Amino acid sequence: MESPSPQDELDRAISQYRLQRYGDARSSLQALLSRDPGNVTAWNVLAYLEGDLGEAAAAAAAFDRALALRPDDPTALKGRARIALERAESDVLRRYAAALGASPGDPHLILERTEARIAAGDREAIEEFAEVARRLPSWDEGQIALGRMLWETRQDEGFADHVRRLLRRDPERFDLWRQYVELLAGCGLYESAAEAARAAAGGGDSFRLLEAVHAGRAGDVERAGALFASLPPQFPGRALHESVHHIRRQELDLALAGIETALAENPSDIGGWAVAELIYRKLGDPRSAWLSGQDGLVATFELELAPERFAAIKSLLHLLHRTGVQMVDQSVRSGTQTRWRLFDRPEPELAELRRAIEAALGDYVAALPPADARHPLLRHRDSPLAITGSWSVRLAAEGYHVSHIHPKGLISSACWFEVPGPAVPAGEGALELGRPPPDLKLDMEPLHVIAPRPGRLVLFPSYLHHGTTPFTAGDRLSVAFDVNRHPLA
């Protein structure tokens, strides 16, 4: 029987990759490259696969192998520049210059290079990017990115004027409308987001749902109710969001029925379980103890780091926050947050921190209650897990996190490196687990109130609402991350 050609092997690996059979795709690519190490395309595909698996260093190495074989390969140059951005490598701007040399005028490369320049403290980059966006009015991603940059760096009231002008000229650009609504909501401008969704009424029921969601978040419960009533009963997303609407109206029996419908539709939805947790607890439903009251679901640890290593990590984090911003669509208020995945960065201090965290995470999982196929976290108890997102937050005086959840995680966290001093009254700057967001109008105390302390790590289910209390003086420096099933599981 004739052996498959290298192209056939590559096509099979790409097919496996597209089907998210990551382990099979990686094995196929590695086998192909062991026989055909000069296959530039295979190295590029492996690099993108490693990036999707969260293995940034391996992705960089694979792109480097492709570039060693073909230094002017546009795919490898573009992918390697992106990895340099995400890892905050010192030569990131040189890599984008090389990528743009091979792909002149590529708008995505220009956008990413602008992000790299902003991270380096170059605020002129935004004006130059604005000119690119002006020349490409049909580029939705660029228009929204410009608005985000303007909001994050200046809190500029006119941050989205250019988007509004484009939509006035062409009101049927529904993809742009949708992204514009999301941008406004991410900035906390819920009333404006609801009005934008209404203005895009030609987009159909999906925009009526968006208007209902953001009208409710803005406090206009009656308007939200009328919009929900106008939607088809089985419209995707209605059950979950209407359940939240019923919570605001104190109609908890209706809220319970709605969230049970939503979880029947998608039993893996962490956002749905977060709503269910509040409803169960408020109603005294016995499922509350099962979902959020079992021993071991919330645990604290002390990081195993020598004092001098802890101090080195703290110094690095302070350095990273020199160019941090208050990011769109995040929980931080009066503070800054790092971009990209913190643990992808190449600094050895962060690798050391990750090892200490992974040791504590192993202890946490080992002490969890038994596996339970119905439970949103415990169903994954015995599955391979991996840290996914990771970031650092620095809060200044009066800073806090609004109550929120992490819908892309299974396990979430807080780890402190600096906390307000002893002069700050007790209770300030504390982590609260289980307090509902204020807009839900639920009079409920948190399940846990945890005082921050340098070196303390807290782990908890991602569906638990969590936020922090403001503090009057000092700084609060932390690292956080999410954990989910390993992509190869």
Side-chain angles (χ1 to χ4, degrees):
M1 182 176 179
E2 186 177 351
S3 298
S5 70
Q7 186 59 51
D8 289 339
E9 291 184 86
L10 180 59
D11 289 343
R12 182 181 66 175
I14 291 173
S15 177
Q16 292 168 333
Y17 184 12
R18 288 173 175 164
L19 293 170
Q20 298 184 357
R21 292 167 50 191
Y22 296 125
D24 291 340
R26 180 194 259 173
S27 295
S28 296
L29 288 165
Q30 289 172 339
L32 170 59
L33 287 165
S34 69
R35 294 188 294 273
D36 184 14
N39 193 319
V40 173
T41 301
W43 282 115
N44 283 334
V45 175
L46 179 60
Y48 278 109
L49 170 60
E50 295 289 3
D52 285 355
L53 293 176
E55 301 292 344
F63 279 129
D64 287 340
R65 289 293 299 269
L67 289 170
L69 294 164
R70 190 181 299 160
D72 60 348
D73 183 73
T75 300
L77 287 167
K78 184 174 183 176
R80 187 61 181 86
R82 173 73 184 197
I83 291 294
L85 173 65
E86 295 180 358
R87 300 185 77 216
E89 296 177 8
S90 59
D91 63 348
V92 60
L93 293 176
R94 179 187 66 78
R95 290 194 178 277
Y96 274 105
L100 282 163
S103 305
D106 184 316
H108 297 285
L109 285 173
I110 293 171
L111 169 55
E112 292 174 4
R113 183 184 64 180
T114 302
E115 299 280 13
R117 291 176 62 188
I118 293 171
D122 181 359
R123 297 300 170 88
E124 292 182 4
I126 297 177
E127 280 72 22
E128 294 179 22
F129 184 74
E131 179 58 26
V132 174
R134 188 191 65 77
R135 295 198 307 268
L136 299 171
S138 63
W139 183 29
D140 292 354
E141 180 188 8
Q143 308 304 328
I144 296 301
L146 175 59
R148 173 182 52 76
M149 292 173 191
L150 290 170
W151 176 264
E152 290 179 345
T153 57
R154 304 172 191 171
Q155 303 285 299
D156 185 344
E157 291 183 2
F159 71 102
D161 285 350
H162 61 292
V163 179
R164 286 187 279 269
R165 286 193 295 269
L166 291 169
L167 291 170
R168 282 196 295 269
R169 288 183 213 150
D170 186 357
E172 294 191 357
R173 289 179 64 174
F174 296 119
D175 285 343
L176 183 58
W177 273 115
R178 189 178 309 281
Q179 294 179 59
Y180 175 49
V181 171
E182 292 171 356
L183 174 63
L184 293 170
C187 297
L189 303 172
Y190 303 122
E191 184 174 352
S192 296
E195 287 304 309
R198 172 175 288 184
D205 290 339
S206 62
F207 282 96
R208 275 209 296 280
L209 177 60
L210 284 174
E211 183 185 352
V213 169
H214 297 308
R217 296 179 81 179
D220 194 341
V221 178
E222 295 306 315
R223 175 181 174 186
L227 288 159
F228 280 119
S230 74
L231 291 168
Q234 305 302 319
F235 190 76
R238 173 177 172 169
L240 171 61
H241 293 297
E242 194 167 20
S243 177
V244 173
H245 169 69
H246 287 308
I247 291 175
R248 292 191 180 106
R249 291 180 57 87
Q250 304 297 305
E251 299 167 342
L252 294 181
D253 289 341
L254 291 174
L256 178 61
I259 201 59
E260 289 178 340
T261 297
L263 288 172
E265 293 172 355
N266 184 1
S268 297
D269 181 19
I270 293 298
W273 284 107
V275 175
E277 196 281 325
L278 297 176
I279 297 170
Y280 293 167
R281 190 152 41 104
K282 185 66 175 178
L283 288 174
D285 189 302
R287 287 173 291 185
S288 173
W290 165 80
L291 181 58
S292 57
Q294 297 187 62
D295 290 343
L297 291 176
V298 176
T300 61
F301 302 86
E302 301 301 319
L303 289 178
E304 295 291 334
L305 288 168
E308 65 275 11
R309 303 313 305 150
F310 184 88
I313 296 167
K314 175 181 168 181
S315 296
L316 173 61
L317 294 174
H318 273 296
L319 181 64
L320 299 184
H321 280 282
R322 290 183 181 178
T323 55
V325 296
Q326 184 168 307
M327 295 171 62
V328 168
D329 202 27
Q330 298 296 325
S331 64
V332 177
R333 300 295 182 269
S334 296
T336 59
Q337 182 168 331
T338 57
R339 290 194 185 279
W340 315 114
R341 291 184 294 212
L342 183 69
F343 292 149
D344 282 353
R345 296 178 61 103
E347 290 90 349
E349 293 89 346
L350 296 176
E352 190 171 5
L353 173 59
R354 178 169 186 159
R355 288 192 293 271
I357 283 172
E358 287 176 336
L361 178 62
D363 292 341
Y364 172 79
V365 173
L368 282 172
D372 181 341
R374 299 173 302 133
H375 193 279
L377 171 57
L378 299 178
R379 70 176 58 159
H380 303 290
R381 185 199 189 284
D382 298 328
S383 301
L385 301 173
I387 293 174
T388 51
S390 51
W391 59 94
S392 175
V393 170
R394 178 183 175 274
L395 296 176
E398 305 303 329
Y400 64 101
H401 289 266
V402 298
S403 182
H404 64 290
I405 63 162
H406 293 184
K408 295 182 179 180
L410 292 174
I411 301 165
S412 293
S413 63
C415 174
W416 294 286
F417 283 82
E418 186 172 340
V419 301
V424 171
E428 291 193 359
L431 172 65
E432 295 187 328
L433 301 180
R435 186 185 291 280
D439 70 283
L440 296 187
K441 303 177 182 179
L442 281 175
D443 182 19
M444 295 169 63
E445 292 298 309
L447 288 165
H448 304 268
V449 179
I450 301 170
R453 189 169 71 204
R456 172 174 282 177
L457 168 66
V458 183
L459 297 172
F460 53 90
S462 295
Y463 54 78
L464 275 184
H465 281 86
H466 55 284
T468 66
T469 57
F471 53 94
T472 50
D475 289 324
R476 189 177 184 277
L477 181 66
S478 63
V479 166
F481 55 90
D482 285 334
V483 174
N484 211 318
R485 283 177 63 94
H486 195 287
L488 292 177

